[in-house]
Amino acid sequence: LQALGLKPGARLLDYGANWGYMSWQFQRAGVDVTAFEISKPRAAFGRELGVTIHTSLEEVGGGFDMVYSCHVLEHVPDPAESLRQQLALVRPGGLVVAHTPNGSQTHREKHPDVFHRTWGRVHPVLLTDQFVSHAAGEHPFLITSDDAPESVRTWDQQSQDLRDTSGEGFFFAIRR
């Protein structure tokens, strides 16, 4: 996330924070974190760690520099609506960033055994590069399986950049 410009003091929404471990790490790095988790028991556990976790999206406000989710979108009933919500919570020029399992055609073709083990069993939805590029509309985006900082850093944040998506992981950033 630092490779995308996240700096100490930046406002970040941890969307689908689970029990708050990532939020806790972001706080320790100096990021101004707001966390959202729909599961009230998980949010309560995170609060015991000193992380403020909201269980209603209406409570989180907006104007974030970045909204980040890690292995969340494949579990929501409407990923497109979730992405629209996240884009609305980001300030102009801000980013929506996500890690998810990979449902892209190139990954399915390269690793059919992995795809068939995960789709529908562990993850109800596997996102594809076509889905993300459609959901991004005219917004600049980066879609890739390579989330290494040195690779992510090369995205100009102005273009629609579709890279190799054959790896197990799926990473994308959409700039509002």
Side-chain angles (χ1 to χ4, degrees):
L1 300 182
Q2 289 174 337
L4 290 170
L6 186 68
K7 294 179 177 25
R11 292 192 66 227
L12 176 114
L13 173 61
D14 185 1
Y15 185 95
N18 203 335
W19 55 274
Y21 182 66
M22 293 286 292
S23 298
W24 180 80
Q25 288 182 318
F26 289 134
Q27 285 177 342
R28 290 187 57 129
V31 175
D32 179 9
V33 179
T34 300
F36 165 67
E37 171 57 49
I38 196 168
S39 167
K40 291 180 181 177
R42 289 178 184 184
F45 183 84
R47 288 185 198 113
E48 292 178 22
L49 298 174
V51 176
T52 302
I53 303 178
H54 300 280
T55 56
S56 169
L57 202 52
E58 290 75 30
E59 297 171 355
V60 303
F64 293 97
D65 297 305
M66 187 178 290
V67 174
Y68 176 69
S69 66
C70 185
H71 291 267
V72 173
L73 292 172
E74 67 273 17
H75 299 284
V76 300
D78 188 343
E81 176 59 25
S82 182
L83 281 175
R84 283 190 292 274
Q85 289 173 338
Q86 291 177 44
L87 281 166
L89 292 168
V90 169
R91 66 166 176 77
L95 296 167
V96 171
V97 180
H99 281 99
T100 74
N102 192 345
S104 71
Q105 184 67 34
T106 54
H107 173 67
R108 289 191 305 250
E109 290 170 358
K110 188 171 181 179
H111 306 283
D113 55 325
V114 173
F115 175 76
H116 289 292
R117 267 196 329 263
T118 58
W119 182 83
R121 295 180 187 179
V122 178
H123 304 104
V125 176
L126 288 177
L127 302 183
T128 67
D129 45 342
Q130 292 90 355
F131 168 80
V132 174
S133 63
H134 177 75
E138 297 299 315
H139 295 290
F141 62 72
L142 169 65
I143 302 170
T144 185
S145 285
D146 182 3
D147 66 350
E150 56 275 7
S151 174
V152 170
R153 193 174 286 113
T154 64
W155 176 47
D156 64 12
Q157 295 195 20
Q158 302 299 315
S159 62
Q160 294 188 334
D161 190 346
L162 175 59
R163 300 182 184 176
D164 178 32
T165 58
S166 63
E168 276 195 51
F170 192 63
F171 174 83
F172 67 86
I174 303 170
R175 185 171 185 263
R176 178 170 174 217

